[in-house]
Amino acid sequence: MSGVAGRVALVTGTAHGIGSGIAARLGAAGATVHGCDRDTVDVSDAEQVQALVERVGRVDILVNNAGGVVGQVGRPLEEVSDDDWRAVVDANLTSTFVCTRAVAAGMKERGYGRIVNISSGAGRSVSLTGIQAYATAKAGQIGFTRQTAHELGPFGITVNSIAPGFVLSNPTSIAQYERYGEDGQRRLLESIATRRLGTPADIANGVVFFASEEASWVTGQVLSIDGGHSIF
């Protein structure tokens, strides 16, 4: 696909899994890739993000991948504290807002930009984690995608979202899968049309499409990359 080579990409949440796979795939396609993770930059903190963007300079492609469940597990609603809620919403939704805001002006000036938000199947349905804040934040990412696509489209900027299915991409997802046990794992696989779990490469391929020239008339869309799980 054309349009990625020579571009400058900023990918958040690149420590492992999906973020690492996205960074590698964009780099293989010819982009100059800058990555960050929570050990280097708090992407929900406006000052830290602004400093990061200034260090990078031009950003043609932004991939808002940072997020996750920040070490939480599903609990009854009445046991969820305010801090628990804010931590997950900040990691997934506030970070997307802060990073997008930080690159928007530069993209407008250049008349070009590609923004890809990594949401989740939880944002389109319910979360297998059972974490209320996670499902809410991921649904919020999708709403933010549509709104910013409408706002930024006249400036040559597209904004799209990918909703991954179950990917064994980090220690949290691996632990979640192991908690299901053999019966639960079998039921999960049977609910996926392709009868396999996803890989970071599956998600990364979708990102490269949205970042390409071939997708220049695609914006405000949500692509489920989940092996067909969402059709059931």
Side-chain angles (χ1 to χ4, degrees), residues 182-206:
E182 291 186 7
D183 289 343
Q185 291 170 9
R186 185 182 65 255
R187 286 194 298 271
L188 174 62
L189 288 171
E190 288 174 350
S191 72
I192 300 171
T194 58
R195 296 299 192 271
R196 73 169 177 87
L197 302 180
T199 68
D202 292 320
I203 312 307
N205 288 334

Side-chain angles (χ1 to χ4, degrees), residues 8-230:
V8 179
L10 174 59
V11 183
T12 67
T14 56
H16 46 59
I18 290 176
S20 177
I22 291 169
R25 181 69 179 83
L26 286 169
T32 298
V33 181
H34 299 267
C36 67
D37 59 59
R38 64 184 178 184
D39 292 329
T40 59
V41 178
D42 177 356
V43 289
S44 68
D45 182 281
E47 291 185 0
Q48 292 188 43
V49 169
Q50 188 60 44
L52 170 64
V53 171
E54 289 175 0
R55 289 196 300 272
V56 171
R58 186 180 96 238
V59 177
D60 303 309
I61 301 164
L62 170 66
V63 184
N64 287 307
N65 169 72
V69 299
V70 296
Q72 298 185 32
V73 297
R75 286 169 294 161
L77 184 62
E78 60 271 23
E79 296 179 12
V80 179
S81 71
D82 292 350
D83 287 343
D84 292 335
W85 175 272
R86 291 192 191 98
V88 175
V89 171
D90 281 349
N92 293 275
L93 181 56
T94 304
S95 64
T96 298
F97 161 69
V98 169
C99 292
T100 301
R101 183 180 60 182
V103 304
M107 288 182 172
K108 284 182 177 182
E109 290 175 3
R110 291 183 294 274
Y112 179 90
R114 298 285 186 268
I115 300 172
V116 184
N117 300 320
I118 306 302
S119 180
S120 169
R124 306 195 78 170
S125 180
V126 297
S127 176
L128 296 177
T129 68
I131 299 172
Q132 304 86 350
Y134 183 73
T136 302
K138 289 305 186 182
Q141 274 187 316
I142 291 173
F144 184 75
T145 296
R146 292 171 175 149
Q147 189 64 39
T148 51
H150 178 75
E151 177 181 343
L152 300 176
F155 300 94
I157 304 166
T158 66
V159 188
N160 290 287
S161 179
I162 291 174
F166 204 104
V167 179
L168 291 178
S169 58
N170 54 51
T172 300
S173 60
I174 292 170
Q176 179 183 347
Y177 188 66
E178 290 176 347
R179 284 196 299 271
Y180 292 159
E182 291 186 7
D183 289 343
Q185 291 170 9
R186 185 182 65 255
R187 286 194 298 271
L188 174 62
L189 288 171
E190 288 174 350
S191 72
I192 300 171
T194 58
R195 296 299 192 271
R196 73 169 177 87
L197 302 180
T199 68
D202 292 320
I203 312 307
N205 288 334
V207 170
V208 172
F209 167 68
F210 278 141
S212 71
E213 285 303 307
E214 285 82 352
S216 63
W217 208 43
V218 179
T219 195
Q221 302 305 304
V222 184
L223 174 62
S224 291
I225 302 181
D226 60 6
H229 177 77
S230 56

